[in-house]
Short mmCIF file of all heavy atoms in Angstrom, two decimals:
data_model
loop_
_atom_site.label_atom_id
_atom_site.label_comp_id
_atom_site.label_asym_id
_atom_site.label_seq_id
_atom_site.Cartn_x
_atom_site.Cartn_y
_atom_site.Cartn_z
N ASN A 2 1.94 1.25 0.79
CA ASN A 2 2.82 2.42 0.82
C ASN A 2 3.47 2.69 -0.52
O ASN A 2 3.63 3.84 -0.91
CB ASN A 2 3.90 2.26 1.89
CG ASN A 2 3.36 2.49 3.28
OD1 ASN A 2 2.35 3.17 3.45
ND2 ASN A 2 4.02 1.93 4.28
N LYS A 3 3.83 1.62 -1.23
CA LYS A 3 4.44 1.80 -2.55
C LYS A 3 3.46 2.49 -3.49
O LYS A 3 3.84 3.37 -4.25
CB LYS A 3 4.88 0.47 -3.12
CG LYS A 3 6.07 -0.13 -2.44
CD LYS A 3 6.47 -1.44 -3.08
CE LYS A 3 7.64 -2.07 -2.35
NZ LYS A 3 8.04 -3.33 -2.96
N LEU A 4 2.19 2.08 -3.44
CA LEU A 4 1.17 2.69 -4.31
C LEU A 4 1.01 4.16 -3.96
O LEU A 4 0.94 5.01 -4.84
CB LEU A 4 -0.16 1.95 -4.17
CG LEU A 4 -1.32 2.52 -4.97
CD1 LEU A 4 -1.01 2.49 -6.46
CD2 LEU A 4 -2.59 1.75 -4.68
N PHE A 5 0.96 4.47 -2.67
CA PHE A 5 0.82 5.86 -2.24
C PHE A 5 1.96 6.72 -2.76
O PHE A 5 1.74 7.80 -3.30
CB PHE A 5 0.74 5.94 -0.71
CG PHE A 5 0.76 7.34 -0.19
CD1 PHE A 5 -0.36 8.14 -0.30
CD2 PHE A 5 1.91 7.88 0.37
CE1 PHE A 5 -0.35 9.44 0.17
CE2 PHE A 5 1.94 9.17 0.84
CZ PHE A 5 0.80 9.97 0.74
N TYR A 6 3.19 6.25 -2.59
CA TYR A 6 4.34 7.03 -3.05
C TYR A 6 4.37 7.13 -4.56
O TYR A 6 4.75 8.17 -5.10
CB TYR A 6 5.64 6.44 -2.51
CG TYR A 6 5.80 6.66 -1.02
CD1 TYR A 6 5.87 5.60 -0.14
CD2 TYR A 6 5.85 7.95 -0.50
CE1 TYR A 6 6.00 5.82 1.22
CE2 TYR A 6 5.98 8.18 0.85
CZ TYR A 6 6.05 7.11 1.71
OH TYR A 6 6.17 7.33 3.05
N PHE A 7 3.96 6.09 -5.24
CA PHE A 7 3.89 6.15 -6.69
C PHE A 7 2.87 7.20 -7.13
O PHE A 7 3.15 8.01 -8.02
CB PHE A 7 3.50 4.78 -7.28
CG PHE A 7 3.24 4.81 -8.74
CD1 PHE A 7 4.29 4.92 -9.64
CD2 PHE A 7 1.95 4.76 -9.23
CE1 PHE A 7 4.05 4.97 -11.00
CE2 PHE A 7 1.69 4.80 -10.58
CZ PHE A 7 2.75 4.91 -11.47
N LEU A 8 1.70 7.21 -6.51
CA LEU A 8 0.67 8.19 -6.86
C LEU A 8 1.14 9.61 -6.54
O LEU A 8 0.94 10.53 -7.34
CB LEU A 8 -0.63 7.88 -6.13
CG LEU A 8 -1.32 6.58 -6.52
CD1 LEU A 8 -2.54 6.35 -5.63
CD2 LEU A 8 -1.71 6.59 -7.98
N LEU A 9 1.77 9.79 -5.40
CA LEU A 9 2.28 11.11 -5.03
C LEU A 9 3.33 11.58 -6.02
O LEU A 9 3.29 12.72 -6.49
CB LEU A 9 2.86 11.06 -3.61
CG LEU A 9 3.41 12.38 -3.08
CD1 LEU A 9 2.30 13.41 -2.97
CD2 LEU A 9 4.07 12.14 -1.73
N PHE A 10 4.25 10.71 -6.36
CA PHE A 10 5.29 11.04 -7.32
C PHE A 10 4.69 11.37 -8.69
O PHE A 10 5.10 12.31 -9.35
CB PHE A 10 6.28 9.88 -7.44
CG PHE A 10 7.43 10.13 -8.36
CD1 PHE A 10 8.41 11.03 -8.03
CD2 PHE A 10 7.50 9.48 -9.57
CE1 PHE A 10 9.48 11.28 -8.88
CE2 PHE A 10 8.56 9.70 -10.43
CZ PHE A 10 9.55 10.61 -10.08
N SER A 11 3.66 10.62 -9.06
CA SER A 11 2.99 10.85 -10.35
C SER A 11 2.34 12.22 -10.39
O SER A 11 2.40 12.93 -11.39
CB SER A 11 1.95 9.77 -10.62
OG SER A 11 2.57 8.52 -10.72
N ILE A 12 1.70 12.61 -9.29
CA ILE A 12 1.05 13.92 -9.22
C ILE A 12 2.08 15.03 -9.39
O ILE A 12 1.87 15.98 -10.13
CB ILE A 12 0.29 14.08 -7.89
CG1 ILE A 12 -0.95 13.18 -7.89
CG2 ILE A 12 -0.13 15.53 -7.68
CD1 ILE A 12 -1.67 13.11 -6.57
N VAL A 13 3.20 14.89 -8.72
CA VAL A 13 4.25 15.91 -8.82
C VAL A 13 4.77 16.00 -10.24
O VAL A 13 4.94 17.09 -10.78
CB VAL A 13 5.40 15.59 -7.83
CG1 VAL A 13 6.59 16.50 -8.07
CG2 VAL A 13 4.91 15.72 -6.40
N LEU A 14 4.99 14.87 -10.88
CA LEU A 14 5.50 14.87 -12.25
C LEU A 14 4.51 15.44 -13.24
O LEU A 14 4.89 16.07 -14.23
CB LEU A 14 5.88 13.45 -12.67
CG LEU A 14 7.18 12.91 -12.12
CD1 LEU A 14 7.41 11.49 -12.63
CD2 LEU A 14 8.35 13.79 -12.50
N MET A 15 3.23 15.22 -13.02
CA MET A 15 2.23 15.67 -13.97
C MET A 15 1.84 17.13 -13.78
O MET A 15 1.06 17.67 -14.55
CB MET A 15 0.99 14.79 -13.86
CG MET A 15 1.19 13.42 -14.43
SD MET A 15 -0.34 12.50 -14.46
CE MET A 15 -0.16 11.49 -13.02
N GLY A 16 2.34 17.76 -12.77
CA GLY A 16 2.06 19.18 -12.58
C GLY A 16 0.65 19.46 -12.11
O GLY A 16 0.18 20.58 -12.21
N CYS A 17 -0.04 18.48 -11.61
CA CYS A 17 -1.37 18.65 -11.02
C CYS A 17 -2.39 19.26 -11.99
O CYS A 17 -3.26 20.02 -11.60
CB CYS A 17 -1.30 19.47 -9.75
SG CYS A 17 -0.25 18.73 -8.49
N SER A 18 -2.30 18.98 -13.25
CA SER A 18 -3.27 19.48 -14.22
C SER A 18 -4.49 18.57 -14.20
O SER A 18 -4.47 17.47 -13.66
CB SER A 18 -2.66 19.48 -15.62
OG SER A 18 -2.43 18.15 -16.04
N ASN A 19 -5.58 19.05 -14.79
CA ASN A 19 -6.79 18.22 -14.88
C ASN A 19 -6.49 16.93 -15.62
O ASN A 19 -6.95 15.86 -15.23
CB ASN A 19 -7.91 18.98 -15.60
CG ASN A 19 -8.49 20.06 -14.73
OD1 ASN A 19 -8.34 20.06 -13.52
ND2 ASN A 19 -9.15 21.01 -15.37
N LYS A 20 -5.74 17.04 -16.69
CA LYS A 20 -5.37 15.85 -17.47
C LYS A 20 -4.54 14.90 -16.61
O LYS A 20 -4.74 13.69 -16.65
CB LYS A 20 -4.61 16.24 -18.73
CG LYS A 20 -4.29 15.06 -19.61
CD LYS A 20 -3.62 15.49 -20.91
CE LYS A 20 -3.38 14.28 -21.79
NZ LYS A 20 -2.79 14.64 -23.06
N GLY A 21 -3.66 15.45 -15.83
CA GLY A 21 -2.84 14.63 -14.95
C GLY A 21 -3.67 13.89 -13.92
O GLY A 21 -3.45 12.70 -13.67
#
Side-chain angles (χ1 to χ4, degrees):
N2 283 337
K3 289 181 183 180
L4 177 61
F5 173 75
Y6 289 118
F7 173 74
L8 294 175
L9 181 63
F10 183 71
S11 297
I12 289 172
V13 171
L14 284 180
M15 288 187 260
C17 300
S18 67
N19 287 341
K20 184 176 182 178

